[in-house]
Amino acid sequence: MNLEHDLKTCLTDYHSVNVRYRHLGFSTKNLNSLDNALKILSTLLPDYRVWNGEQPDETAPPLNCSRKKFLTAVFEDSPQGLIIVHPEFWFRRWQILDKQSFWEALSIEHGGHNVIVIFIENNEFATVNHRYFYPKFLESAAVTAWISTKTKLS
């Protein structure tokens, strides 16, 4: 198996229109794996907007924005999906409750456009992920998919 196949399968199973809670996360401990996952997802989902916290552009909210403004921008009415890479750059100044609120909102939000968050695995995510997302380990790589706890795992 390869990462592209695993990502396609994950998108089909958990990111399709017939799934109510379809926002996803993908994490890895390796920057090369993160970059590879982003390249593959960008190819599979060419119409999605990409916000990269490492290199933000004018389409992304400013790195010093509040959680409220960030969430408003994430879920604004848009026909396109959204891929958020390196969200930790936005989260840097946020309190832990703001970070938890983001992950909770991502877990329970349904309708509108799809959102995918790609991030480096760290201890902080384990602290803020209070039963919002379940891990699903992808067989082909050191990448973990994060599925809303509102969605049944297959």
Side-chain angles (χ1 to χ4, degrees):
M1 285 225 195
N2 64 28
L3 181 58
E4 182 175 358
H5 178 268
D6 282 352
L7 291 174
K8 277 184 188 177
T9 301
C10 194
L11 292 173
T12 300
D13 291 346
Y14 304 108
H15 201 60
S16 61
V17 292
N18 62 334
V19 175
R20 184 170 185 169
Y21 303 99
R22 58 184 179 256
H23 304 305
L24 297 172
F26 292 101
S27 68
T28 180
K29 292 181 180 182
N30 181 299
L31 279 173
N32 288 334
S33 295
L34 184 140
D35 290 341
N36 194 24
L38 174 59
K39 286 177 191 167
I40 292 168
L41 288 168
S42 294
T43 301
L44 294 173
L45 306 166
D47 295 337
Y48 277 43
R49 298 171 291 154
V50 176
W51 294 349
N52 189 334
E54 198 171 48
Q55 303 166 2
D57 62 20
E58 68 281 347
T59 67
L63 294 177
N64 62 354
C65 72
S66 68
R67 178 207 33 100
K68 183 178 180 182
K69 287 186 181 191
F70 187 76
L71 276 176
T72 299
V74 167
F75 296 118
E76 74 182 349
D77 191 25
S78 171
Q80 297 174 294
L82 173 64
I83 299 171
I84 303 169
V85 188
H86 294 294
E88 65 275 8
F89 285 88
W90 281 280
F91 300 170
R92 206 178 303 180
R93 292 180 181 91
W94 295 5
Q95 299 295 321
I96 194 158
L97 290 175
D98 289 328
K99 295 171 189 178
Q100 288 173 334
S101 294
F102 168 78
W103 290 108
E104 179 184 28
L106 193 66
S107 172
I108 64 174
E109 184 77 19
H110 58 85
H113 61 270
N114 294 345
V115 178
I116 296 173
V117 181
I118 305 173
F119 60 100
I120 293 293
E121 259 178 60
N122 57 47
N123 292 333
E124 183 178 87
F125 179 70
T127 302
V128 300
N129 182 31
H130 287 280
R131 298 180 302 273
Y132 306 131
F133 286 89
Y134 287 123
K136 181 173 177 84
F137 301 101
L138 303 183
E139 294 178 31
S140 64
V143 174
T144 302
W146 294 92
I147 315 301
S148 171
T149 55
K150 303 285 186 191
T151 300
K152 275 192 155 177
L153 291 178
S154 58

